[in-house]
Amino acid sequence: MAARRKSAKSNTSGDELLQYYRDMLLIRRFEEKAGQLYGMGLIGGFCHLYIGQEAVVVGLEAAADEGDKRVTSYRDHGHMLACGMDPKGVMAELTGREGGYSLGKGGSMHMFSKERHFYGGHGIVGAQVPIGAGLAFADKYLGNDRVTFTYFGDGAANQGQVYETYNMAMLWALPVIFVIENNKYAMGTSVQRATKSPSLWERGASFGIPGEEVDGMDVLAVKAAGEKAVAHCRAGKGPYILEVMTYRYRGHSMSDPAKYRTREEVQKIREERDAIEHVRDLLLTGKHATEDELKAIDKEIKGIVNDSADFARESPEPSLDELWTHVYAAEVPQEA
Amino acid sequence: MATEILMPALSPTMEEGTLAKWLVKEGDEITAGQIIAEIETDKATMEFEAVDEGTLGKILIDEGTEGVKVNTPIAVLVEEGEDADAAAASAREADKADAGNEEAPEPEQAERAAEAPAAARDKYRPPEPDRKPDWPEGTTTRSQTVREALRDAMAEEMRRADNVFVMGEEVAEYQGAYKITQGLLDEFGARRVIDTPITEHGFAGIGVGAAFGGLRPIVEFMTFNFAMQAIDQIINSAAKTLYMSGGQMGCPIVFRGPNGAAARVAAQHSQCYAAWYGHIPGLKVVMPYTAADAKGLLKSAIRDPNPVIFLENEILYGRSFEVPELDDFTVPIGKARIARKGDDLTIVTFGIGMTYALEAAEKLAEDGIEAEVIDLRTIRPMDTDAILASVRKTNRLITVEEGFPQSSVGNYITSVVMEQAFDWLDAPVINLCGKDVPMPYAANLEKLALVTTAEVVEAARKVTYK
Ligand SMILES: Cc1ncc(C[n+]2csc(CCOP(=O)(O)OP(=O)(O)O)c2C)c(N)n1
Ligand SMILES: [Mg+2]
């Protein structure tokens, strides 16, 4: 997937659009499948779906280069798929199996891939923010030309450690992009009930960090903003904030009675603002693809997702000895 | 192909629920994501969305039905031209076959579950303490303060590896609030000796991220009292990530600074965190007493691939001890030191507790009672073999620490000795701790709140019945 991202940039916009369509659809179908497996009791505990927000991570990954890092919250399945992690390994982690990225020991909220530069998967709201700045600190210290995408929610934006991090990130000019995924709600609390700030990205101004609001339902707008932020960081100008306006269609996690918003509110956004439908329209009206070609992609994605679900059911539970492994490291590989 | 729609689990604990309402009827076209029913759990009424598309062929569970078990088929989706009843029957057959397959491996799993913990924690083997001396016989030593020893340890490790750096409040230009980082800025520059704003939670998290990113941070807390602002990053991010990532990513980092009561700084600045951090799997916790241990253990901590909590003590910073003159002197983490040999009772302690234990041992010796004093040096992983071997010899044990009594380090040592050396004990174990009160400011009360040498002497007499 990494390789295709590079080529996507130089290719025609039709190919690009098809790629975004495919990537977003993979996330949506994957999440629907995860919801289904949860309903069957194959996935346990908390499981936070990304449905509705697909354009955010797909747009930003399109702006990233190989070696750039990313870190996010517990709502992490989409980020992992978009950065090229294997759907099978992700789904098997959701089912708590040996074939999962963390051997079944992390679960939905705690997954990592050093190979794909994905640093979690963090269950404590806001904790990933200084960690993201720390990854950027390491890159700057080592003289790497890398950028870290640090994703967090509108709710997390009210955590104190976010502002501690803004302060140091700007003080030390760290190459970190703070991506606020503003999906309007933190569990059942709307942004308006959590803060009087008119916008979240503007809070960076107190620290001298530039930023902007981005339409998170438009993958091309997200990509363009991402490219601008990446250029800013890579030029050594320090952090950048993107407040990406998005929407989650499903409940906060699986057990969400959804009494804090109306069915109509959700339905309206699904019908009028859906990011995947948007790209679908662009593809069809721009004659970049036919209905049949898109159907074929749908089918192919369904196949990938079904394979991941089969793998996640068939992969055995971790061996009982795994209870005692990885508490302490004997040696940790130290390459950056 | 027909697809059964199953009663979903809508929360981590749901086993059954009420099918409150169908929002679709037989024959309706259904799209993926469409809300098709309302389901009541013990906690809430929730909407249930279809995952697949098709025609609702048959409703198998009527609305209003209570106690519908999770995974019971509640309806059947059919494709064009399919017969709903036949499809329902065949879907159920296929399902039964599936269920049979999944149950098969269970008995074997249960057997292994019973074995695993026993095998992993073999409790009743005889102790085998490591008795190698910390440095070779004949090595020359020189007198050094704990402060200088800590500084030298950091400087040596920073010379050794470029990815080691120090960050914290006042560590660079001010030369350290307690002058532990004196001279480091001059030698290593601002890239590697970094003054932070007063922002413990933030810089602890940045340290963790830097460790994930390939560096070896030394994070200084001005004192560990302030690390409570950062304890989430230390425990949830630093200590648990190796496990949660299935071994992919660890966090090699040292959190260090003064811990425990200083002098006359009262409740918010006088607390021992040994038991707090000692509780956490994934952390290593070190608390040296001598300058040699401070140096050797800090060097080991910086090289360790795990997060290490390094608890120093302000009162000990200025004390001098003999430190070996070796090019690369390290002390292994997890090894206790017998500071004084004796046959009559064992005193286990660490950090500044050593002061009281050694003073008491001298007093006891005047009366012919010979105490063996064990300096634990590492709280986690704990050298229980050294303790058990000594208790098997002396048959009596007291523990000394400055922390609060409930859930203390001494409590844990007592449980280990009870479980593994009960038959060797000739007296109940006594845990001496700080008093169960916040630290008072008044000089006389502060003295009373701390452990005293007199208390150690008294406890020793109690367990030896002398
Ligand atoms: C420190 C902390 N407090 C509370 C929680 C419980 N919690 C989990 S997610 C969440 C809401 C966060 O909302 P937001 O940051 O907007 O992210 P979203 O879920 O919308 O992606 C809360 C309160 C937590 N995990 N960690
Ligand atoms: Mg939110």
Side-chain angles (χ1 to χ4, degrees), chain A:
Chain A
M1 273 213 179
R4 71 78 193 143
R5 264 206 313 281
K6 279 225 165 89
S7 63
K9 270 184 203 165
S10 52
N11 275 356
T12 66
S13 68
D15 284 353
E16 238 178 88
L17 283 173
L18 272 170
Q19 192 61 56
Y20 304 151
Y21 180 74
R22 194 185 288 272
D23 289 354
M24 291 195 289
L25 202 63
L26 173 65
I27 296 174
R28 181 154 306 176
R29 295 284 170 265
F30 181 95
E31 294 291 62
E32 285 166 358
K33 183 56 88 178
Q36 189 184 21
L37 296 187
Y38 192 95
M40 295 163 72
L42 284 162
I43 297 174
F46 293 127
C47 182
H48 309 83
L49 302 184
Y50 198 63
I51 296 176
Q53 301 182 212
E54 297 91 345
V56 181
V57 82
V58 169
L60 289 173
E61 283 295 337
D65 268 341
E66 182 56 38
D68 287 340
K69 300 183 166 77
R70 59 285 284 170
V71 63
T72 187
S73 70
Y74 44 82
R75 197 178 299 287
D76 56 355
H77 312 164
H79 303 71
M80 293 188 279
L81 297 176
C83 76
M85 287 168 67
D86 181 358
K88 288 183 178 158
V90 178
M91 196 67 97
E93 190 59 37
L94 299 187
T95 54
R97 305 301 173 92
E98 188 182 272
Y101 266 96
S102 299
L103 313 177
K105 289 158 62 159
S108 160
M109 302 189 285
H110 316 108
M111 259 183 267
F112 307 82
S113 169
K114 255 207 136 148
E115 193 200 340
R116 294 303 317 132
H117 313 287
F118 179 73
Y119 288 85
H122 294 269
I124 304 298
V125 170
Q128 75 273 25
V129 180
I131 290 173
L135 289 164
F137 178 95
D139 280 329
K140 184 165 175 162
Y141 186 99
L142 296 169
N144 294 337
D145 184 23
R146 291 288 154 251
V147 166
T148 299
F149 292 85
T150 301
Y151 295 86
F152 55 102
D154 47 283
N158 291 317
Q159 283 282 28
Q161 60 185 320
V162 171
Y163 300 93
E164 298 191 25
T165 303
Y166 279 4
N167 188 42
M168 284 179 280
M170 191 62 198
L171 186 64
W172 298 330
L174 303 180
V176 53
I177 301 171
F178 298 108
V179 183
I180 307 172
E181 295 198 57
N182 186 342
N183 60 9
K184 315 251 183 323
Y185 295 93
M187 287 185 74
T189 305
S190 67
V191 175
Q192 291 72 27
R193 292 204 307 120
T195 180
K196 290 285 186 197
S197 301
S199 86
L200 299 173
W201 72 267
E202 283 180 357
R203 294 179 182 181
S206 338
F207 304 90
I209 307 178
E212 63 192 83
E213 185 180 306
V214 185
D215 179 357
M217 304 310 262
D218 177 354
V219 70
L220 299 178
V222 175
K223 182 194 172 217
E227 282 173 343
K228 187 169 158 197
V230 167
H232 180 93
C233 284
R234 276 209 234 284
K237 295 182 190 161
Y240 201 90
I241 300 173
L242 297 176
E243 180 179 0
V244 189
M245 310 310 284
T246 181
Y247 199 77
R248 89 172 136 65
Y249 298 172
R250 294 295 193 92
H252 166 71
S253 69
M254 297 306 297
S255 42
D256 179 348
K259 294 294 176 229
Y260 49 85
R261 61 182 185 186
T262 61
R263 200 178 281 171
E264 290 69 40
E265 178 183 311
V266 183
Q267 211 46 42
K268 191 169 152 63
I269 294 187
R270 279 188 103 131
E271 274 161 22
E272 295 173 8
R273 308 277 297 117
D274 188 74
I276 297 179
E277 286 303 318
H278 173 62
V279 171
R280 198 184 147 83
D281 283 350
L282 292 180
L283 282 166
L284 291 174
T285 53
K287 305 226 181 308
H288 299 297
T290 64
E291 287 273 5
D292 280 348
E293 280 164 348
L294 295 186
K295 257 206 181 122
I297 292 179
D298 289 7
K299 205 168 160 206
E300 181 196 329
I301 299 283
K302 252 200 168 147
I304 295 173
V305 168
N306 286 337
D307 286 351
S308 78
D310 289 345
F311 178 78
R313 304 170 81 156
E314 280 155 22
S315 175
E317 289 189 302
S319 109
L320 297 178
D321 307 333
E322 286 296 340
L323 179 64
W324 302 102
T325 61
H326 309 124
V327 179
Y328 292 101
E331 202 31 78
V332 166
Q334 279 307 297
E335 89 287 0

